[in-house]
Amino acid sequence: MDLNAIYTELIMEHSTSKHNKRNLDNPDIKEKGHNPSCGDEITLELKLNNGVIEDLAFTGQGCAISQASTSIMIDLIKGKNIKEALKLTETFIGMIKREIKDDEELYALEDAMAFKNISNMPARVKCAVLAWHTLKEALEK
């Protein structure tokens, strides 16, 4: 099985998975994200504990790319402090914009590297970055 097939399988698995798609009880931060190009909508809910993202979940609807990207982001970000989460967000967005090409730097994204080639599909870029931009907005408030 080649790497593209593995990445495709990973994206499809996360797009239908419900393990991160839920509401949190009494979230500390709640941020909505919307992609007017295709109608994707998400709401991120975060629980913080001394600057660490203790829990993170989402609700919303959208295409397989936006739903998978959100779920994979949550798996990566949960347990990180705000500074680490923002760094990973910048790395992901830099990867999508083709500003970061060094695989060593991209390895920090773990499964989120599955979206590396999404930049070859301009119509899907906004879908892939929706959750990441929403998280950045939430953490910078």
Side-chain angles (χ1 to χ4, degrees):
M1 186 177 275
D2 71 15
L3 196 54
N4 285 332
I6 292 169
Y7 282 166
T8 300
E9 186 177 316
L10 180 67
I11 290 169
M12 293 311 298
E13 180 182 310
H14 271 275
S15 72
T16 58
S17 174
K18 304 292 183 211
H19 76 280
N20 289 320
K21 196 169 190 177
R22 58 192 167 84
N23 288 104
L24 297 181
D25 292 330
N26 303 311
D28 297 306
I29 301 173
K30 194 172 192 175
E31 187 72 32
K32 292 183 182 211
H34 176 69
N35 177 359
S37 301
C38 65
D40 294 340
E41 294 181 337
I42 62 162
T43 300
L44 292 179
E45 296 181 344
L46 295 87
K47 292 278 268 183
L48 301 175
N49 186 359
N50 293 321
V52 173
I53 300 168
E54 191 171 77
D55 203 0
L56 177 61
F58 81 106
T59 55
Q61 59 198 27
C63 68
I65 298 290
S66 73
Q67 300 295 286
S69 183
T70 305
S71 181
I72 289 170
M73 179 195 74
I74 288 171
D75 285 347
L76 179 64
I77 298 298
K78 200 180 295 182
K80 304 283 193 287
N81 67 42
I82 291 172
K83 184 178 177 182
E84 292 169 321
L86 287 170
K87 172 66 175 146
L88 289 166
T89 299
E90 292 301 319
T91 302
F92 183 85
I93 292 168
M95 174 185 74
I96 299 298
K97 290 180 173 180
R98 296 183 186 173
E99 295 170 351
I100 300 173
K101 297 178 182 176
D102 178 17
D103 280 347
E104 288 295 319
E105 193 172 347
L106 296 177
Y107 287 142
L109 294 174
E110 299 175 10
D111 287 348
M113 280 185 68
F115 295 95
K116 184 177 181 182
N117 291 325
I118 207 82
S119 56
N120 296 329
M121 299 178 276
R124 307 314 303 215
V125 166
K126 288 181 181 178
C127 305
V129 298
L130 174 63
W132 300 83
H133 281 299
T134 304
L135 177 66
K136 184 177 179 189
E137 288 175 31
L139 295 175
E140 289 181 341
K141 285 187 176 179

